[in-house]
């Protein structure tokens, strides 16, 4: 995470182990709230407005992840709980996005080539926000997995819920891999068409069909205009 040098990525100042082997990290103390908390506090029926007015949040997340991807770092566990909104009086909106928890981040030799192989097909991440390829096994993860997770978050901000909801983890994993994404219009009719198109492209089942993070940022700017 420190390699990115991006203000939206939380740095690690130091790390080590206690005498008993317990690992520790020193990171900055952030005063604010998570995006998950912000979404839970949103009044009923306001999610569509939150999604449109909150595009700066998604844009800032995309910027931070784009910097990580440029260094071959894939987050792999992007979700509202891992995004903090902290006060920053120097910014127009008075807040800054901070992306947390690169704990299962994966280094890729090249984002245009096959990623490093892992020792197993261990499924890592949070099922509601995991890409189909993550649900099938960690060996196939590239930067497009983060694009998918960001698409889920944006879908949730507009629709008031993630695209897939289930009681059992296994069922949710199957839905991510096999079921088509429910049309955003079914939960948030009247949403700007350019935004709908962007979200559905980010949620493509085939990782190759998803836009890169730079293209996501450009599309968000077009929606804002």
């Amino acid at each position: 995470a420190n390699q990115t040098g991006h203000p939206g990525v939380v740095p690690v100042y130091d790390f080590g182990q206690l005498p008993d082997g317990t690992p520790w990290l020193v990171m900055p103390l952030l005063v604010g709230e998570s995006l998950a908390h912000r979404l839970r506090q949103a009044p009923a029926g306001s999610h569509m407005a939150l999604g449109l007015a909150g595009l700066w949040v998604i844009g800032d997340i995309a910027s931070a992840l784009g910097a990580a991807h440029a260094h071959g770092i894939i987050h792999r566990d992007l979700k509202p709980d891992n995004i903090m909104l902290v006060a920053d009086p120097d910014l127009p909106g008075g807040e800054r996005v901070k992306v947390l928890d690169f704990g299962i981040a994966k280094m890729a030799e090249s984002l245009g080539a096959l990623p490093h192989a892992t020792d197993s097909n261990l499924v890592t991440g949070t099922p509601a926000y995991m890409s189909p390829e993550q649900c099938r096994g960690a060996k196939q993860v590239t930067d497009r997995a983060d694009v998918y997770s960001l698409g889920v978050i944006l879908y949730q901000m507009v629709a008031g819920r993630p695209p897939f909801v289930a009681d059992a983890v296994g069922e949710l994993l199957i839905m991510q891999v096999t079921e088509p994404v429910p049309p955003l219009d079914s939960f948030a009719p009247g949403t700007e068409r350019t935004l709908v198109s962007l979200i559905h492209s980010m949620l493509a089942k085939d990782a190759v069909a998803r836009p890169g993070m730079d293209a996501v940022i450009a599309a968000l700017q077009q929606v804002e205009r």
Side-chain angles (χ1 to χ4, degrees):
N2 289 358
Q3 292 181 28
T4 68
H6 193 283
V9 176
V10 178
V12 176
Y13 295 143
D14 200 1
F15 63 94
Q17 285 185 308
L18 298 177
D20 66 0
T22 302
W24 54 264
L25 293 173
V26 179
M27 304 173 73
L29 174 65
L30 301 180
V31 179
E33 64 178 338
S34 69
L35 180 58
H37 183 267
R38 180 74 59 89
L39 290 173
R40 286 194 296 268
Q41 298 302 309
S46 70
H47 288 87
M48 180 175 165
L50 178 62
L52 294 174
L55 284 181
W56 71 270
V57 174
I58 299 298
D60 282 5
I61 299 168
S63 177
L65 290 173
H69 293 169
H71 286 80
I73 303 168
I74 306 162
H75 190 288
R76 298 203 302 168
D77 194 24
L78 190 69
K79 56 187 176 183
D81 283 307
N82 280 342
I83 299 162
M84 284 286 289
L85 306 174
V86 301
D88 189 334
D90 293 331
L91 295 180
E95 285 185 309
R96 180 184 294 279
V97 165
K98 294 284 188 178
V99 180
L100 313 177
D101 197 2
F102 279 78
I104 60 171
K106 184 174 185 177
M107 299 294 293
E109 288 181 330
S110 168
L111 295 181
L114 292 176
H116 284 310
T118 54
D119 293 334
S120 69
N121 286 324
L122 178 66
V123 173
T124 56
T126 304
Y129 302 91
M130 284 168 55
S131 65
E133 59 269 24
Q134 279 181 280
C135 296
R136 289 192 297 264
K139 288 183 178 180
Q140 303 177 38
V141 171
T142 68
D143 62 311
R144 296 308 196 268
D146 287 344
V147 172
Y148 186 94
S149 299
L150 186 59
V152 173
I153 294 171
L154 183 51
Y155 187 109
Q156 181 178 355
M157 289 179 69
V158 176
R161 49 154 282 172
F164 299 113
V165 177
D167 293 327
V169 171
E171 181 182 0
L172 191 52
L173 294 176
I174 292 172
M175 293 170 74
Q176 294 280 31
V177 174
T178 64
E179 292 196 10
V181 175
L184 187 60
D185 287 345
S186 62
F187 301 111
T191 302
E192 163 65 39
R193 299 310 306 169
T194 308
L195 181 59
V196 172
S197 176
L198 170 62
I199 293 172
H200 280 278
S201 70
M202 295 170 72
L203 296 176
K205 296 294 185 187
D206 184 356
V208 177
R210 295 174 211 142
M213 206 58 78
D214 288 344
V216 170
I217 294 171
L220 288 170
Q221 292 171 346
Q222 180 181 353
V223 173
E224 288 176 337
R225 288 194 297 270

